[in-house]
Amino acid sequence: MLKLLSSSSSCLQGRIHSLGPNLGLRPGPTELASPFLRVISSLTGLTRPSSVGRAYFCSDGKDGSDQVAEIEVKKAEAEGEAAESKSSSAIVPTNPRLDDYLTVLALPLPHRPLFPGFYMPIYVKDPKLLAALQESRKRHAPYAGAFLLKDEPGTDPSVVSGSETDKNITDLKGKELFNRLHEVGTLAQISSIQGDQVVLIGHRRLRITEMVEEDPLTVKVDHLKDKPYNKDDDVIKATSFEVISTLRDVLKTSSLWRDHVQTYTQHIGDFNFPRLADFGAAISGANKFQCQQVLEELDVYKRLKLTLELVKKEIEISKIQESIAKAIEEKISGEQRRYLLNEQLKAIKKELGLEADDKTALSAKFRERLEPNREKCPPHVLQVIEEELTKLQLLEASSSEFNVTRNYLDWLTSIPWGNYSDENFDVLRAQKILDEDHYGLSDVKERILEFIAVGKLRGMSQGKIICLSGPPGVGKTSIGRSIARALNRNFYRFSVGGLSDVAEIKGHRRTYIGAMPGKMVQCLKNVGTANPLVLIDEIDKLGRGHAGDPASALLELLDPEQNANFLDHYLDVPIDLSKVLFVCTANVVENIPNPLLDRMEVISIAGYITDEKMHIARDYLEKTTREACGIEPEQVEVTNAALLALIENYCREAGVRNLQKHIEKIYRKIALQLVRQGASDEPAVADQKSPTSQIDLPVEPGVLAAQVVETSETKVEDIDKVDQSVDQTATGSLEKDLPAEPAVGEVEVADTDEPTDSKDAKETEKIQESEGTKTVEKILVDEPNLSDFVGKPVFHAERLYDQTPVGVVMGLAWTAMGGSTLYIETTQVEEGEGKGGLHATGQLGDVMKESTQIAHTVARAILLDKDPSNAFFADSKLHLHVPAGATPKDGPSAGCTMITSMLSIAMKKPVKKDLAMTGEVTLTGKILPIGGVKEKTIAARRGGVKTIIFPAANRRDFDELAPNVKEGLDVHFVEDYNQIFDLAFGDGQNKDE
């Protein structure tokens, strides 16, 4: 079969036609037979010595590469034929004539049709067809029919590749091939055969009539001639001229055809109309079906119109090509220019010593940053830094690895390796600073002073992990800042409340986009020292998500045995954190995971008693709030009774944050009153100085301006109304005493004999005298008017009863907000033989419900022991209630209180006045220890309790309390309930006392 030699880039050079014998070309002389042939010769750059023909043709081939077929037609077969050895012409004499070839071999053309007067090289892969072509040349009948191949039905010709098309041609045989050929083709002369390459020269149009032989495919054809036309037709001339003009424009704009512009413009007049149409269609870049349409058109005018459309499209393509080339050229030239200028700028700066290149500058910056701490820097870190600096020099600045390495070096050199701040081990100074910032908190202060004392004796400090636990608002976070100031350490705080990503603690891997080290490395970079005080806030509120468990990640950070070699995922080098003092804060220690809690030293901050809150409010909160509101001390006075009422009735929680909010609320309202008073005074001065307030009318002193406003253009009545409304807002009364000087709303009688200037001077003197004699009115905040500033009391007295009734006992409870008193009430619901039972209410938890059952059992046993004849519990249905039913309650420490309440209703005897108790009870009556001794002691003092009963196991906890907390309390420590019975109902004293 056939294979077409192809090319796409140099289409012009190959698309040049050569005329055959029908145009009068004969072998022999070197002169061309006609001017038209001279045009073709000049277009192709062809020099034809004797009868050797040379032409260039370019068409789409199998592999899409540019191939230029340089064809030199030779007749060199030395088989004893003298005629062939003497002549090298590719065109043989037409003997017989072309019209005699009515049966020809069919050559399929896959890519483009062959136009008359053009060369086309093809490849013939079918051996039978190639042998038949060679036999035809030997018989001096070197002609065949070249027909364009139709596309396979159902395929897109723009998608099918050349290799697929060639494979399809190879598979086609006989009748199948015959059905795939276009009817109209070209009679082609076989110019030469070299291997499987056959060079064809088109002569005239043919039409297939029928198939003669299948292998190789031979068909009968009819020779087609152009329809007659009028050479002088103006329409045909105009169309041809437009084709010529368009071709000239295309040849000027297209670089592919630019070599032939001069020859074409000189000899374009030698073309006739049919040849002009074929020329334009052949050299255009149109697809094969459009070219086939031109080949099949026998009407010269219609053929010219079709060619004109093709060359018009060609010029549009040339314009698009030119614009694309221009845009790409501008882009490349701009980037190249910018690159060259940047390189020149770098070279100039480097030559002048103004600036080194980027890599050198970066390396110098990192080395300069590392130099002060080089001797203190660990050797393994120095080795990593040097390796990364060497790697930085080898990387391209535009690569992503360069930025990763640069950021890594930036973090490595920013950490203060071995750079420690000088600590202050002065215990007295630290004591003074801690007392200045915080009142009370003796446990915390004592522990910090111990830490400083150990550091002074050792000559160096060692990092510790301290956990401050307590209710909100007791000053846990601010204590950390005070400790840092006392130790002269840098302070860094970060909260881990709700933290669910391990990377926040351990850092990201450097392979991730946007990777960063963890909080600890960021801390060291920010503070600039390797021994800061790090406050980790809300450690009991750690989260746990898909990114890991941060509580487990903190184990290495907060372990004194491991944090000397803390490994961050980003830095990937060990960091010594053993000198860092970690202070953690938590509200509920039970929420901290046990492995993490085991690594920390817990210091409990129970909260503040009323006396401590008074000192804090007076010495810290009030002073800070007054300065923040811009109020002077002489402008306001808050009495101790008001502060005490504020603490007892509004702010009973353990901390002082709510107390601070209420004090701020008081001072904000005071600030508003002061501003309103100032606003009421300013218009008075302005009005007295204003000339509109002085009306020369014969009125008596003290007459209001409202009496004369109708005779004045200036309505002083309006000013008087504004002043009265301001006075009403500030003082709550419309009545106002008139001062000796003219007040707002009064009009002074003007002396007509005095000049205006003297009157103004006298007015000014009067105003100054009134301002000098006016005294600043101090705002007093006392217990009676406290509700005007902070509203109605939130809490009521914790003692519900002056004299405790039968069946009611006060207990002591612990809450997250501190301690509180808790009443237990028991009453008899029903009495009857065998109706004993117990019903408990008050939103009790499971543990507390069990305590009620235990208390009921123990109370029955004790009553049986004390009074065997009393069958109260066996015949009575009891109802036990814990007030404040909206508050959930749970815990075992109310056991002894419940037993006492049941026994009180059973014996119809109230407990002693001002008594409170707490303790867990077993079925045998033993009293077990409880927690929250300090909170419960504070709650007892707040509730006016004088006698407290604690388990004997809590004696040491009570002894460690500050003296002001346990002052004035009668505390008894018991081991079993019989001792409580004697204290609650009897007259005896506890033997342990």
Side-chain angles (χ1 to χ4, degrees):
M1 297 305 291
L2 304 180
K3 174 102 178 139
L4 182 62
L5 179 65
S6 65
S7 172
S8 59
S9 63
S10 56
C11 295
L12 175 64
Q13 295 180 354
R15 293 173 183 167
I16 307 300
H17 64 283
S18 178
L19 298 181
N22 59 330
L23 296 179
L25 183 61
R26 295 291 183 272
T30 58
E31 292 293 325
L32 297 178
S34 69
F36 186 71
L37 291 178
R38 290 197 299 271
V39 171
I40 298 304
S41 175
S42 62
L43 283 175
T44 58
L46 177 64
T47 304
R48 303 169 71 93
S50 65
S51 59
V52 177
R54 180 174 296 159
Y56 298 90
F57 186 83
C58 186
S59 66
D60 297 335
K62 167 172 89 168
D63 54 359
S65 62
D66 296 340
Q67 299 181 10
V68 178
E70 182 178 349
I71 307 158
E72 183 175 352
V73 182
K74 296 181 180 180
K75 301 292 289 182
E77 290 89 347
E79 298 179 359
E81 299 181 7
E84 290 183 2
S85 62
K86 293 180 181 180
S87 175
S88 61
S89 175
I91 305 176
V92 297
T94 57
N95 186 20
R97 295 177 303 134
L98 295 178
D99 293 337
D100 297 337
Y101 291 97
L102 300 177
T103 302
V104 294
L105 293 169
L107 301 178
L109 304 178
H111 302 295
R112 291 181 67 86
L114 174 63
F115 283 91
F118 280 81
Y119 282 103
M120 178 179 287
I122 64 173
Y123 288 97
V124 179
K125 299 295 184 183
D126 189 354
K128 287 186 179 182
L129 181 58
L130 187 61
L133 293 175
Q134 291 175 347
E135 184 65 25
S136 298
R137 286 193 78 238
K138 289 180 181 180
R139 289 188 287 106
H140 301 286
Y143 290 93
F147 301 93
L148 182 65
L149 191 69
K150 298 177 183 178
D151 286 326
E152 187 176 354
T155 60
D156 188 356
S158 61
V159 175
V160 179
S161 64
S163 60
E164 293 176 350
T165 305
D166 294 338
K167 187 171 72 172
N168 294 339
I169 293 175
T170 307
D171 296 338
L172 294 176
K173 299 287 184 181
K175 192 172 183 179
E176 186 181 1
L177 177 60
F178 176 78
N179 294 332
R180 290 280 300 276
L181 296 178
H182 282 276
E183 291 184 0
V184 178
T186 308
L187 180 63
Q189 178 185 349
I190 304 169
S191 177
S192 67
I193 300 176
Q194 297 179 0
D196 59 352
Q197 180 181 349
V198 179
V199 179
L200 305 177
I201 302 176
H203 283 280
R204 59 174 60 177
R205 288 169 170 81
L206 300 176
R207 185 187 300 275
I208 299 175
T209 57
E210 61 177 311
M211 182 176 65
V212 177
E213 186 179 346
E214 291 188 2
D215 195 15
L217 182 61
T218 307
V219 295
K220 283 187 177 182
V221 295
D222 289 340
H223 293 254
L224 302 178
K225 294 184 180 180
D226 296 335
K227 294 180 180 180
Y229 65 94
N230 185 3
K231 294 183 178 179
D232 297 329
D233 188 356
D234 293 339
V235 177
I236 294 179
K237 284 184 178 180
T239 306
S240 64
F241 290 158
E242 183 62 24
V243 172
I244 293 171
S245 176
T246 308
L247 281 173
R248 183 180 292 112
D249 293 339
V250 172
L251 293 173
K252 287 180 180 178
T253 57
S254 176
S255 60
L256 299 175
W257 300 349
R258 196 163 291 162
D259 296 339
H260 303 275
V261 173
Q262 185 177 1
T263 304
Y264 174 76
T265 54
Q266 289 176 357
H267 301 283
I268 193 64
D270 295 337
F271 280 78
N272 57 19
F273 298 135
R275 293 300 181 191
L276 178 63
D278 290 345
F279 176 81
I283 68 174
S284 70
N287 60 48
K288 60 182 180 180
F289 298 111
Q290 292 174 330
C291 293
Q292 179 67 25
Q293 190 177 0
V294 176
L295 183 67
E296 293 176 356
E297 185 57 59
L298 299 180
D299 188 291
V300 175
Y301 171 65
K302 293 182 179 179
R303 191 189 300 171
L304 281 171
K305 286 183 64 178
L306 293 173
T307 302
L308 182 60
E309 291 180 6
L310 298 183
V311 294
K312 286 290 185 183
K313 289 182 180 178
E314 199 69 27
I315 197 169
E316 292 299 326
I317 293 174
S318 298
K319 290 180 180 179
I320 296 174
Q321 174 190 351
E322 185 178 2
S323 64
I324 292 174
K326 185 177 180 181
I328 293 176
E329 183 180 357
E330 289 179 354
K331 181 179 179 181
I332 294 176
S333 62
E335 292 178 354
Q336 191 72 11
R337 175 181 173 81
R338 191 178 298 108
Y339 174 76
L340 292 175
L341 290 176
N342 284 331
E343 291 298 322
Q344 291 176 3
L345 181 63
K346 289 179 183 179
I348 292 172
K349 287 185 175 181
K350 189 174 182 180
E351 189 70 23
L352 295 176
L354 298 178
E355 181 181 339
D357 58 0
D358 294 341
K359 295 180 183 178
T360 307
L362 280 174
S363 299
K365 182 183 75 171
F366 293 143
R367 293 184 186 278
E368 182 181 356
R369 187 186 295 173
L370 182 65
E371 196 60 35
N373 296 331
R374 178 176 289 273
E375 296 180 358
K376 304 175 184 177
C377 187
H380 63 276
V381 177
L382 283 176
Q383 181 181 356
V384 172
I385 292 175
E386 291 298 333
E387 290 176 357
E388 293 297 323
L389 286 173
T390 305
K391 178 181 176 182
L392 189 71
Q393 294 296 326
L394 299 176
L395 292 172
E396 288 294 332
S398 58
S399 66
S400 59
E401 186 68 19
F402 181 85
N403 291 326
V404 173
T405 305
R406 181 184 61 187
N407 293 336
Y408 182 51
L409 280 170
D410 188 19
W411 280 102
L412 270 180
T413 55
S414 298
I415 295 179
W417 302 102
N419 185 18
Y420 301 103
S421 61
D422 295 332
E423 287 191 277
N424 192 327
F425 295 113
D426 189 349
V427 177
L428 298 179
R429 175 181 175 274
Q431 178 77 53
K432 181 180 179 182
I433 291 175
L434 294 174
D435 290 339
E436 286 177 358
D437 295 344
H438 297 276
Y439 182 84
L441 304 179
S442 57
D443 296 343
V444 182
K445 295 178 181 178
E446 193 70 19
R447 178 64 187 88
I448 299 305
L449 295 178
E450 292 172 2
F451 175 81
I452 296 175
V454 171
K456 185 173 184 179
L457 294 177
R458 292 187 57 187
M460 58 177 293
S461 63
Q462 190 69 22
K464 289 292 181 182
I465 293 90
I466 299 173
C467 180
L468 303 176
S469 68
V474 295
K476 299 184 297 295
T477 304
S478 59
I479 287 173
R481 197 180 301 274
S482 299
I483 295 172
R485 192 160 72 94
L487 295 174
N488 195 28
R489 289 194 179 203
N490 292 324
F491 179 76
Y492 185 84
R493 172 193 171 273
F494 67 93
S495 176
V496 294
L499 188 69
S500 61
D501 191 357
V502 175
E504 292 291 331
I505 306 296
K506 299 279 288 182
H508 305 84
R509 300 289 181 185
R510 290 202 305 277
T511 53
Y512 300 152
I513 296 176
M516 287 185 65
K519 286 289 186 183
M520 203 57 232
V521 177
Q522 298 178 34
C523 160
L524 296 179
K525 179 181 178 181
N526 289 340
V527 300
T529 57
N531 61 338
L533 186 144
V534 179
L535 179 71
I536 304 177
D537 233 343
E538 310 294 349
I539 200 169
D540 59 328
K541 299 176 181 62
L542 277 168
R544 184 170 185 173
H546 67 280
D549 184 11
S552 301
L554 283 172
L555 293 178
E556 180 185 3
L557 181 66
L558 298 181
D559 191 342
E561 303 297 329
Q562 298 181 32
N563 60 13
N565 295 303
F566 177 73
L567 191 65
D568 185 88
H569 288 162
Y570 183 85
L571 293 185
D572 206 24
V573 292
I575 304 173
D576 184 10
L577 301 179
S578 60
K579 302 296 190 298
V580 178
L581 177 58
F582 291 96
V583 178
C584 307
T585 66
N587 295 128
V588 182
V589 178
E590 287 75 13
N591 293 342
I592 304 175
N594 287 332
L596 186 59
L597 185 63
D598 183 59
R599 287 162 167 80
M600 298 186 293
E601 180 181 349
V602 180
I603 300 177
S604 298
I605 304 176
Y608 302 102
I609 60 176
T610 303
D611 182 57
E612 291 175 338
K613 285 186 178 181
M614 284 287 293
H615 282 87
I616 293 172
R618 185 66 75 187
D619 300 338
Y620 300 93
L621 303 181
E622 187 182 8
K623 178 181 178 183
T624 304
T625 305
R626 186 171 59 242
E627 293 176 355
C629 294
I631 300 175
E632 299 297 331
E634 60 271 9
Q635 292 179 297
V636 62
E637 180 182 354
V638 181
T639 63
N640 291 334
L643 278 180
L644 182 61
L646 188 67
I647 294 169
E648 292 291 341
N649 301 330
Y650 296 86
C651 310
R652 286 187 182 176
E653 62 281 338
V656 293
R657 184 174 292 138
N658 192 35
L659 178 61
Q660 182 181 6
K661 292 178 182 178
H662 280 77
I663 293 176
E664 290 174 352
K665 188 175 182 180
I666 292 173
Y667 273 88
R668 283 197 304 269
K669 291 188 177 296
I670 292 174
L672 179 59
Q673 287 190 15
L674 292 175
V675 171
R676 280 175 173 171
Q677 288 181 5
S680 64
D681 292 340
E682 288 175 1
V685 177
D687 290 339
Q688 289 175 1
K689 292 183 179 180
S690 174
T692 59
S693 63
Q694 296 190 8
I695 305 174
D696 297 335
L697 292 175
V699 293
E700 296 180 359
V703 179
L704 292 177
Q707 300 175 2
V708 297
V709 69
E710 296 179 357
T711 61
S712 173
E713 293 181 0
T714 303
K715 294 186 178 182
V716 187
E717 182 182 7
D718 297 339
I719 302 174
D720 181 56
K721 290 180 179 179
V722 173
D723 181 65
Q724 289 181 0
S725 64
V726 172
D727 291 339
Q728 180 181 3
T729 306
T731 61
S733 175
L734 290 174
E735 296 181 358
K736 186 177 181 182
D737 295 334
L738 297 177
E741 293 80 17
V744 177
E746 290 188 353
V747 180
E748 183 183 3
V749 179
D751 190 355
T752 55
D753 295 336
E754 294 182 0
T756 305
D757 295 340
S758 61
K759 290 188 291 182
D760 293 342
K762 288 185 177 181
E763 288 296 327
T764 304
E765 291 177 0
K766 291 180 180 180
I767 293 170
Q768 292 176 352
E769 290 176 1
S770 64
E771 291 179 351
T773 56
K774 183 190 292 185
T775 59
V776 178
E777 183 179 356
K778 178 179 289 189
I779 297 177
L780 180 65
V781 180
D782 203 353
E783 186 175 359
N785 66 345
L786 181 63
S787 59
D788 297 337
F789 294 92
V790 291
K792 295 181 179 179
V794 178
F795 299 100
H796 299 284
E798 293 198 4
R799 286 188 62 87
L800 299 179
Y801 311 99
D802 292 333
Q803 178 63 43
T804 308
V806 174
V808 177
V809 182
M810 180 187 289
L812 299 175
W814 177 92
T815 66
M817 302 293 290
S820 66
T821 56
L822 190 70
Y823 279 95
I824 305 288
E825 302 176 344
T826 306
T827 185
Q828 184 181 14
V829 178
E830 186 178 1
E831 186 177 4
E833 186 176 355
K835 290 188 176 182
L838 177 67
H839 176 62
T841 58
Q843 200 170 351
L844 308 180
D846 293 337
V847 176
M848 208 162 182
K849 288 179 180 178
E850 292 179 355
S851 295
T852 60
Q853 300 297 327
I854 296 171
H856 191 243
T857 301
V858 175
R860 293 183 65 171
I862 292 176
L863 183 63
L864 184 63
D865 180 54
K866 300 292 184 183
D867 188 3
S869 61
N870 193 339
F872 177 82
F873 289 108
D875 301 335
S876 301
K877 184 177 181 181
L878 303 179
H879 182 184
L880 185 145
H881 176 67
V882 183
T887 305
K889 309 169 191 69
D890 201 6
S893 61
C896 64
T897 313
M898 293 178 178
I899 296 173
T900 308
S901 175
M902 294 178 188
L903 290 175
S904 175
I905 193 70
M907 298 186 302
K908 303 294 188 290
K909 184 177 181 181
V911 298
K912 287 185 176 180
K913 187 179 179 181
D914 301 333
L915 174 69
M917 63 185 68
T918 180
E920 181 180 358
V921 181
T922 66
L923 283 174
T924 59
K926 294 293 183 182
I927 306 298
L928 301 182
I930 48 89
V933 172
K934 181 176 180 181
E935 289 86 347
K936 293 179 178 181
T937 305
I938 294 173
R941 289 177 60 88
R942 192 186 303 121
V945 175
K946 296 181 180 179
T947 305
I948 304 177
I949 298 177
F950 276 132
N954 292 111
R955 177 188 291 273
R956 177 174 295 181
D957 298 331
F958 183 81
D959 292 340
E960 291 178 354
L961 297 180
N964 59 344
V965 175
K966 53 188 178 181
E967 182 181 359
L969 294 176
D970 183 16
V971 182
H972 301 269
F973 297 95
V974 296
E975 294 181 354
D976 57 58
Y977 187 78
N978 289 322
Q979 296 172 307
I980 298 178
F981 186 87
D982 295 338
L983 292 170
F985 301 106
D987 297 331
Q989 294 291 328
N990 185 8
K991 297 178 182 179
D992 190 51
E993 295 296 322

